[in-house]
Amino acid sequence: MLADPVAQKKVLNRLRRAQGQLGAVITAVEDGSHCRDVIHQLSAVSKALDRAGFLIISTALRECLEDDEDDVRTEELEKLFLSMA
C-alpha cells in the first residue's frame, strides 16, 4: 500500500491511537459516562482517522506524481481525496 516506510509508520501510529480512543468511547458508553465525555472521545477518534486517511492519500499522490504514466490511478486518488472532504 504505502511504499514510504516513514509514512507507513505514521499511518499505523495514527490508526493505533484511533483504536485506543475508540476503546475509550466504548468504555464510556458502557459505563454511562456523560455525553460530553463520549462526544469528546468520539471527536478524537474521528480526527485521528481523518488524519490517517489524508496521510495515506497524500503519500499515494506524491508517489503517483513521481510516476507520470499512471493517469487512471491519479483520477482514482483524486476521488478518494474528495471523499475525505
Side-chain angles (χ1 to χ4, degrees):
M1 179 180 89
L2 294 174
D4 180 358
V6 173
Q8 183 180 25
K9 183 176 180 179
K10 287 180 182 179
V11 167
L12 288 171
N13 286 339
R14 290 181 191 276
L15 291 174
R16 287 186 181 110
R17 184 177 306 134
Q19 185 178 32
Q21 291 165 329
L22 183 57
V25 171
I26 292 168
T27 299
V29 170
E30 289 173 341
D31 293 345
S33 297
H34 193 278
C35 64
R36 176 182 41 236
D37 299 329
V38 173
I39 296 299
H40 181 71
Q41 285 294 329
L42 197 54
S43 175
V45 172
S46 179
K47 286 179 185 176
L49 290 174
D50 285 346
R51 289 181 179 159
F54 283 126
L55 183 56
I56 290 169
I57 293 169
S58 67
T59 301
L61 283 171
R62 191 173 55 250
E63 291 170 0
C64 189
L65 288 174
E66 292 171 2
D67 182 14
D68 295 340
E69 299 173 14
D70 202 356
D71 291 335
V72 174
R73 184 169 173 212
T74 302
E75 291 175 10
E76 181 181 351
L77 289 171
E78 183 179 327
K79 287 179 184 177
L80 288 171
F81 181 78
L82 292 173
S83 75
M84 295 288 296

